Amino acid sequence: MAIPILFVLSVFLGIFAYTTLVERKALGRIQNRFGPNRVGRWGILQPIADGLKLLIKEDIVPRRADQFVHFLAPVIAVIPSILLFSVVPVGTRLVPVDLNIGILFAFAVSTVSVLALFMGGWASRNKFSLLGAMRAVAQVVSYEVPMVLAAVAVVMAVGSLSTLRIARAQSGGILNVTNWFVFRPWGFVGFVLFTIGAMAESARTPFDIPEAESEIIAGYHTEYSGFKFALFQMGEYLASIAMAGITVTMFLGGYNGPGSGPGWVGGLISMFWFFIKLAFMIVLNIWIRGTWPRVRVDQLLGFAWKVLLPMSIANIVAVGMWHYLTFRPLAWVATTLWLVLWFVTLSKLAATENVAPRTYRYAS
Amino acid sequence: MVARDRLEQLRGKFGSAIQRVDLPGDSRLFVFVEPSVVKNICQYIFRDLDARYVISIGIDDRPFSGNFMVAHNFAFDEDHLLCSVLTYLPSNNPKIDSISDVVPAANWAEREMRDLVGIEPVGHRYLKRLVLPDGWPEGEHPLRKDFSWDHVPKEFNDEREFTFDEPPEGCTVVPFGPFHPTLDEPAHFRLYVEGEMVRGCEYRGFMAHRGIEKMAESVLGYNDIPMLAERICGICGCVHSVAYVQAVESAVALKPPPRAEYIRTIMLEIERLHSHLLWVGLACHIVGFDTLFMQSFRIREPIMWIAEKISGNRKTYALCVIGGVRWDITPVLKSELRQVLDKLEAEWREVVAAVSKDKNIQKRTVGVGLTNRDLVKNAGLVGPVARAAGVDIDCRRDHPYAAYDRVEFDVITAGGGDVWSRLLVRMSEVFESIRIIRQCLERMDDGPLQSPVDGELPVGRMGLSSVEAPRGESHHFVITGENNRPRRWRVRAPTYQNLQAVPMMIKDQQIADMTISLGSIDPCFSCTDRLETIDLRSGATRVWSQRELLELARAKEVRR
């Protein structure tokens, strides 16, 4: 048991540290800046410097805050994100813990972090924190539903909740590539839904509404400083990396790629493919962050309930059709048509629908 | 002679109440009336003659005429006429009928008059202090002539906090400012919030009032003031400097040489360019689109460099003196400026193409921060905010100054009245500015930079000047005086009017739209506030009071 724990802590925390650097560098280039370049060559030591700085910074707790909950929140924010990695298979038969309910475990654990955000916002006794926390809860709860339903499609197709078996189900085909679920109509839709949901759940731009700087200062972590702030950031990054790992496992073929397989060599190659795909997902996140403005909270929730949710339900039906139509060409045509029809209808509806303004009881 | 026609209309209606008339040209009109008809005449001008309200000014004229004075300024934009309705008030217990129920835009101006000069607007519905802090003693009015510029009343309690209105039932108060990541300057909005909806707000500002007008009226000389005036604002400084100089010039009928007028025009348009580029960047930052924010800053930078080459400074150009300008635009600078403009135009076209097609930015800005023609009229909104609501006003065309009567340009308007329309208006105005500068560079003839000023400027003359700042009309009012300095100088920055409409614009919107709505008027609090206070600074072990900090600063001063 010690080896998987050490593995998760060392490898993924390392990836977290350097994701921050890569993100700042890449955003810098997108935004016509240099990004960090002072600490070490290409700023390579920047994450270490940041960590040290945050460790020795003064820890400020508001006088009227709920001291205990205020302390507990950042801890709770980080732990579930680390636990998530325990079910991500990084190579052939290489998974820290092979739970037979891996996917279920991942969702159960990732939901806990929303508690931390609300605890932080509530305990800070700051209205901006509270607004941020309320937004975070609304957002995570809304996006969890289409995300889980997108995962249900995969689970239905594989017939197992184990992440390892889901990855294994995508091996074979030409060069170990063509059987990836993303190359199925339902898998592609599921991939898009899941990626959007994962991004929203880890509150990254354009979904960084719980901490929208220009609106509510820093949202739920307005009143956090020093290492507690770093823990919140860490939880957020780790969650988004872990979700990227689960996306890779469920849709991008996991560790499968040309040359991957059992044995020493195949195992090493499979790890290589997994981390390449993980890097791709992380860079995709950064890219989207650099090129999209933030949406507004009601638009965001509307998108989740009005577009993503019906689409994910349609996707489940599509998997059912795929399962029962054993003649493959027919299955391809039928599921594609079905999904395109839904997509067109939903995007039309979302564009035209106009909701009357809400009325409130008080304060006319 | 439109000015004369307007005067005849006023005479026909209020013949006997008009005491004296001053008609210095076809574009300025000063009407002295009895105090009792001020409200009626303002109503007539504002409602029946459909003039635009500009500003109200309280003046302590006791050392000269023995009376207080009040001026209400209006603009007839289609007739190219600026009009001032003046009245004398007795020196003891000055009172005047409030015009704010017929001209809602006068709300702030009358409160400021009450705070600073002590003229009581009778019938004003909301007589809360505007400029003075709540700890300031009653009966002390800083802009009165018997109040020394460096005097601080003994009873002034700088620890006292603001008293606020009660929020409506069922609403939570969310304080917005004075410190907030997207507010570059201090202002305090107390938002009444229900869930995520804003139901109203109370504004407390003027935290950065620097007493600039008092300083000018009591310490500085005519040619020092332009340097102070451009420090009113960190972005549109040149506007204030030009507006002040023009107000004085119009008061004493001095005409600057044509080359100076062209140079003023060029510098004003350079300022508009960098201000609008900055604003588009900031707007993108507010909606969370930092990439375009950075790109606008990159595009803007060459403008700052060329301004530095012309004047020696990126900002605060120190350009104007009475009767002319101080910097020349040499042939070398001309060709460099042309190159900068060509590059800017090409790059800006790309940005405009990208932004105007972006669905996400539209989603955040269409239908947000709504204004309409009524609000523009009643709150006296100016600049891109008014033009985005389809109100076609632009001082450059309506009240031409400098060389604007000799160049061609379009006034950009849009119909939506929302943040999106303001974005479109500002983005297109950049191209008009480029066009104006190019024409100026072409038509500028050689000649002197300054008109000679012989001896003292005449005393007791009044001058008005409106300059179209990037944010809207900046209006200056000057009465010339003794000792080489004006008796009264009043600055009305565009944000002064635009800010008054923000509570109306953000009502019943999401709290998330608050910043972009406020940002969309391109607020400039230092222009609006014109004082200086230092807020409490809390250290970990010790709280510095304002007094301690001030003493610290003074001690340092002495040591040096």
Side-chain angles (χ1 to χ4, degrees), chain A residues 3 7 14 38 60 101 110 117 201 256 258 299 312 350 358:
Chain A
I3 291 170
F7 174 80
R38 297 284 112 177
I60 300 169
I101 50 157
S110 78
L117 310 189
E201 181 150 324
N256 290 300
Q299 295 164 351
S312 57
R358 254 166 92 175

Side-chain angles (χ1 to χ4, degrees), chain B residues 69 82 99 110 112 141 178 189 212 219 230 240 244-245 268 314 321 339 351 370 373 414 418 460 488 502 549:
Chain B
M69 270 167 84
L82 291 173
I99 61 166
E110 291 191 333
E112 177 171 340
H141 303 292
F189 291 87
I212 282 178
V219 186
E230 68 189 359
H240 288 295
Y244 159 75
V245 167
L268 285 173
R314 291 161 63 89
V321 288
Q339 282 168 14
V351 169
L370 278 173
R373 282 170 163 276
D418 52 5
R488 181 78 170 100
V502 166
L549 281 171

Side-chain angles (χ1 to χ4, degrees), chain A residues 32 135 214 290 296 360, chain B residues 173 196 199 286 291 298 513:
Chain A
N32 189 42
R135 288 175 172 198
S214 56
R296 209 172 57 201
Y360 287 78
Chain B
V173 171
E196 284 251 350
R199 294 297 176 195
I286 291 174
T291 301
R298 177 180 62 79
D513 289 332

